[in-house]
Amino acid sequence: MKNAKLLFAACLTISFCVCVFPVRFAGSQAGSQNEFINPPGENQAQIEDIPDWKARLELAKLLTYAKRYPEAIQAYKKVLKEKPELMEAKIGVAKAYFWSGDHTEALKRLESLPKKQLDDQAQLAMADLYITMKNYADAETIFTDYLKTHPNDHKARLKLAQVLSWVKRYDAAISHYQYLIHALPDDREIKKKYAFVLIWAGKQDQAIRELQDALRE
């Protein structure tokens, strides 16, 4: 009889554990999930509203990246109407004019800005505009200053070398071409351009070697 009572008590204990503990565990899991899913309480800082000019500035950038330049220009103009001193918008609209093909307006806007505040892209755009207008002196100045801090920009160095060759400063141009050939030994186009500068400088023997190397199959 005593053993039967003990057996009955043990069964009750097991039943209690099976029924109650999973519920408590499930409740603990549910609470943990709710804490993760539900937003924080009232102490959460409210997200500030985005002003229209800032959203429009991002729109102008996106339109520029999408090469929808007329729309980008209009968006930038609306930003500048509200924020007339915003340098980012001033530079942005100038670059949009440049890429749209309106070089006169682009240069006018870029020249009106302090050079120290122009980003690298804007400065290179200005140098390209000076080349288009055959203002080689100002283009040279921009490329020279830019290469002091970006010596590995081979595209900018090639443009500077070409500008120097156009104003018959052959020794300076040759120096930049030699730098490029050392950095890009497999670039056949650079070698051909270099050879022509050597010809103009009266260095025919060197030009022959460069052309033979560039034309080697």
Side-chain angles (χ1 to χ4, degrees):
M1 186 68 178
K2 185 176 180 180
N3 290 337
K5 288 181 178 180
L6 288 172
L7 182 60
F8 179 73
C11 290
L12 286 176
T13 302
I14 292 171
S15 299
F16 177 79
C17 291
V18 170
C19 295
V20 174
F21 287 166
V23 172
R24 289 183 177 176
F25 180 70
S28 174
Q29 278 190 318
S32 175
Q33 290 174 348
N34 286 338
E35 288 173 5
F36 178 78
I37 295 171
N38 293 339
E42 295 178 358
N43 293 329
Q44 179 191 18
Q46 294 295 318
I47 298 175
E48 295 181 0
D49 292 338
I50 299 173
D52 284 353
W53 70 265
K54 187 174 287 189
R56 201 179 301 281
L57 178 63
E58 292 305 310
L59 173 61
K61 292 177 186 177
L62 290 171
L63 289 167
T64 303
Y65 298 150
K67 299 183 180 180
R68 294 164 60 177
Y69 302 124
E71 294 174 81
I73 289 167
Q74 292 307 311
Y76 276 122
K77 284 183 175 180
K78 288 180 179 179
V79 173
L80 287 168
K81 188 174 182 180
E82 187 172 350
K83 295 284 182 179
E85 299 306 316
L86 188 64
M87 185 60 60
E88 190 175 3
K90 288 182 177 181
I91 294 173
V93 73
K95 288 191 286 190
Y97 271 116
F98 171 69
W99 288 317
S100 73
D102 190 343
H103 294 168
T104 302
E105 183 65 24
L107 186 60
K108 183 178 77 174
R109 287 177 177 269
L110 287 171
E111 286 183 330
S112 71
L113 304 176
K115 284 191 176 181
K116 290 183 178 180
Q117 295 188 43
L118 295 179
D119 61 21
D120 291 338
Q121 200 176 47
Q123 291 198 40
L124 292 176
M126 183 181 285
D128 285 341
L129 288 169
Y130 283 139
I131 289 174
T132 301
M133 297 178 179
K134 297 185 179 180
N135 182 350
Y136 300 134
D138 285 336
E140 178 193 343
T141 298
I142 292 173
F143 284 130
T144 301
D145 291 343
Y146 173 80
L147 287 168
K148 289 176 183 177
T149 53
H150 302 80
N152 294 323
D153 190 331
H154 303 316
K155 186 176 180 180
R157 189 176 296 277
L158 177 59
K159 288 182 179 180
L160 175 57
Q162 290 177 305
V163 165
L164 291 168
S165 69
W166 295 335
V167 295
K168 300 183 180 181
R169 291 174 56 193
Y170 300 127
D171 287 342
I174 286 169
S175 177
H176 286 290
Y177 273 114
Q178 288 174 340
Y179 183 103
L180 290 166
I181 286 172
H182 179 75
L184 304 168
D186 297 324
D187 193 316
R188 296 171 66 248
E189 283 303 314
I190 288 177
K191 288 182 180 180
K192 286 187 282 185
K193 288 182 172 66
Y194 175 41
F196 273 75
V197 176
L198 290 170
I199 293 170
W200 300 334
K203 302 181 186 229
Q204 282 82 5
D205 290 341
Q206 285 181 257
I208 289 170
R209 288 194 296 271
E210 292 301 327
L211 285 173
Q212 287 176 331
D213 189 38
L215 298 171
R216 187 177 299 160
E217 295 181 359

